[in-house]
Amino acid sequence: MTPRFCILRHDHPFLHWDFLIEKNDHAQCWRLLSQPVCGVPIPAEPLPPHRLLYLEYEGPVSNNRGAVIRIAEGTYQVISEFPQFMIRLEGLVWAQFAFLDNESPKQVFWQFSRTSDRLRKH
């Protein structure tokens, strides 16, 4: 089975976007601190694993944690894990690849791209 991904627009505790990728029995998740666009490093914060239901969920989040709207979804394939985690995205019109840049222990960035070439450094 091909693993899934999604991007959720989340309005709590402030407006951000959650990028989730399916990994076995959970979804790895990062809070994107700006709107995901192609070719720009997006500052991100790793979040605890999420339940797989969030890959398909839209609506209110329990315990008054706002609401989520799914703005993108599809499947992905891991292209490389080292030295840079890179995935190929299926189902996203504006980008076909995503790169995780975590070289700095203090800040993580996701970059979305139309090509598999490593994107410019921030």
Side-chain angles (χ1 to χ4, degrees):
M1 185 172 178
T2 307
R4 301 168 291 164
F5 78 90
C6 77
I7 300 174
L8 302 172
R9 184 178 180 271
H10 191 178
D11 62 0
H12 181 81
F14 53 86
L15 180 61
H16 65 276
W17 292 261
D18 293 327
F19 182 44
L20 292 86
I21 61 173
E22 183 175 8
K23 177 109 182 207
N24 301 319
D25 63 347
H26 66 279
Q28 288 184 281
C29 185
W30 293 264
R31 176 184 291 149
L32 304 179
L33 300 177
S34 60
Q35 184 172 356
V37 295
C38 200
V40 177
I42 309 295
E45 298 173 346
L47 295 175
H50 282 45
R51 292 177 289 166
L52 291 177
L53 72 88
Y54 281 104
L55 291 165
E56 300 176 359
Y57 182 76
E58 289 186 292
V61 180
S62 63
N63 298 320
N64 295 317
R65 291 180 289 157
V68 294
I69 298 170
R70 194 172 54 254
I71 63 166
E73 65 184 324
T75 59
Y76 77 93
Q77 174 185 18
V78 175
I79 302 298
S80 69
E81 293 191 36
F82 185 82
Q84 183 178 47
F85 184 69
M86 178 174 63
I87 58 178
R88 179 183 198 49
L89 304 169
E90 298 290 336
L92 195 57
V93 174
W94 50 270
Q96 286 72 47
F97 296 90
F99 305 80
L100 179 61
D101 182 350
N102 59 355
E103 292 180 15
S104 167
K106 295 183 179 180
Q107 184 64 65
V108 173
F109 292 86
W110 271 101
Q111 294 186 59
F112 297 89
S113 174
R114 289 187 179 94
T115 70
S116 62
D117 297 334
R118 184 179 166 113
L119 299 174
R120 70 180 188 279
K121 298 298 285 179
H122 40 275

